[in-house]
Amino acid sequence: PGRMSRYTHTCVLRLLLVCVAASSSGSVRVSAPRAVSPLEATSRERGISPLLGWLDRRLARWRRRNRPKRIILVRHGESIGNVNSSAYSSTPDSQISLTERGFEQGTACGREIRRLVGNGSVRFYYSPYLRVRQTLLAILQAFEGQPVEIASEPRLREQDFGNFQDPLSMSRLREDRMKFGRFFFRFPNGEAGTDVFDRVSDFISTLFAHFDSGERRRTADNCVLMTHGLLMRIFSMCYFHWTVSEFEQVWNPSNCEIWVLEKV
């Protein structure tokens, strides 16, 4: 949520004053609104401006206090599709599993995350794709004996490339994507980067609505997003307000690479 408008601030202030009046007298009388001159309205605006500024500062401090210490982005471990692209021609993308090396990467990644967060509370949001769920299971070995929260989040899934993927066709499509622009190119029967941007933006709105809901006990100290390479870049694009040209200068992280956004 951004800065409240002055009109909204005025409405909130009036509501607060009505509540105070009601609590002190036991009742409140609401009279019909009285027309005021522009000069009188300007005078009133100047009179409450300091109070509106105070409300702004209090709201900013309250939001900061409610938000997690860290948002940690993690790509899944090495998958069969990473070492053999023909796997996508017979196995749905959502069912591509990790290699043995991918499981080892997940275990090492879990130790690194545990070292980073210590005994702080952790909430994991994960893509429902098999390779991400397997990576999460490997990571959770490092949290044995420590309670954590986990939540499946379909908006963190991989970009949809269009059902089963023929290797030769995909090779040509990726060449076309480089010519057309990686962000705007749409795969047949699949998504463009713009579609992924839309769902990630929606997820971020949901995430911060949760942080700012006022239920502090429900906000973990560490928020870990288990996802895919493109999703990590798109999340950063949304969060840091990258331009399209800035986004297209960034490439996918390595398997089980960790990006940490830390509150300072």
Side-chain angles (χ1 to χ4, degrees):
R3 182 185 177 89
M4 294 172 66
S5 69
R6 187 166 298 279
Y7 172 78
T8 306
H9 262 318
T10 304
C11 292
V12 169
L13 177 59
R14 287 174 178 168
L15 180 59
L16 289 173
L17 293 175
V18 166
C19 291
V20 169
S23 63
S24 60
S25 65
S27 62
V28 61
R29 183 181 65 185
V30 179
S31 58
R34 180 176 63 85
V36 297
S37 67
L39 182 60
E40 185 179 356
T42 302
S43 177
R44 289 184 179 182
E45 174 102 358
R46 289 173 180 167
I48 65 172
S49 287
L51 185 52
L52 297 183
W54 175 82
L55 285 173
D56 254 344
R57 292 189 295 272
R58 288 295 298 268
L59 183 61
R61 285 198 296 270
W62 178 81
R63 284 175 174 162
R64 178 177 174 78
R65 194 165 55 242
N66 270 16
R67 290 177 180 176
K69 294 179 180 177
R70 300 177 192 87
I71 297 177
I72 302 171
L73 308 176
V74 184
R75 188 187 177 194
H76 60 80
E78 180 186 79
S79 72
I80 291 175
N82 292 143
V83 297
N84 180 15
S85 60
S86 65
Y88 296 107
S89 64
S90 57
T91 304
D93 194 2
S94 62
Q95 296 303 311
I96 295 290
S97 66
L98 293 183
T99 62
E100 183 177 346
R101 182 167 182 259
F103 280 104
E104 293 172 354
Q105 290 172 332
T107 301
C109 181
R111 290 194 296 266
E112 179 62 22
I113 294 174
R114 180 62 191 270
R115 184 197 63 77
L116 179 66
V117 306
N119 293 322
S121 56
V122 186
R123 183 178 180 88
F124 290 90
Y125 293 88
Y126 63 93
S127 159
Y129 278 34
L130 178 60
R131 55 189 178 273
V132 178
R133 290 186 282 124
Q134 290 175 328
T135 304
L136 175 60
L137 288 175
I139 285 174
L140 289 177
Q141 294 177 47
F143 290 84
E144 185 175 356
Q146 177 176 341
V148 298
E149 300 176 5
I150 60 173
S152 177
E153 179 46 71
R155 288 172 291 186
L156 293 178
R157 70 186 185 276
E158 176 64 287
Q159 179 179 4
D160 293 331
F161 294 107
N163 303 322
F164 293 111
Q165 303 165 32
D166 174 67
L168 292 178
S169 298
M170 289 302 294
S171 178
R172 288 193 296 269
L173 287 170
R174 286 193 167 91
E175 290 177 5
D176 290 342
R177 180 173 64 169
M178 293 303 296
K179 297 174 185 176
F180 191 86
R182 289 186 292 147
F183 184 68
F184 294 108
F185 182 82
R186 180 178 301 281
F187 285 88
N189 300 314
E191 290 182 305
T194 51
D195 300 312
V196 182
F197 181 95
D198 289 344
R199 58 178 159 93
V200 171
S201 295
D202 185 66
F203 169 69
I204 290 175
S205 296
T206 302
L207 190 64
F208 277 80
H210 171 76
F211 295 158
D212 297 339
S213 65
E215 298 181 55
R216 181 65 186 89
R217 60 184 177 81
R218 294 181 57 195
T219 302
D221 295 330
N222 302 276
C223 175
V224 183
L225 309 183
M226 302 289 306
T227 185
H228 307 263
L230 175 71
L231 269 291
M232 290 172 66
R233 291 188 286 130
I234 292 284
F235 183 96
S236 300
M237 182 184 187
C238 296
Y239 193 89
F240 294 110
H241 306 290
W242 290 350
T243 64
V244 172
S245 60
E246 288 172 330
F247 165 80
E248 293 190 337
Q249 294 175 47
V250 181
W251 295 86
N252 273 357
S254 304
N255 294 116
C256 277
E257 186 170 324
I258 301 170
W259 293 357
V260 182
L261 311 180
E262 192 154 7
K263 186 166 67 176
V264 295

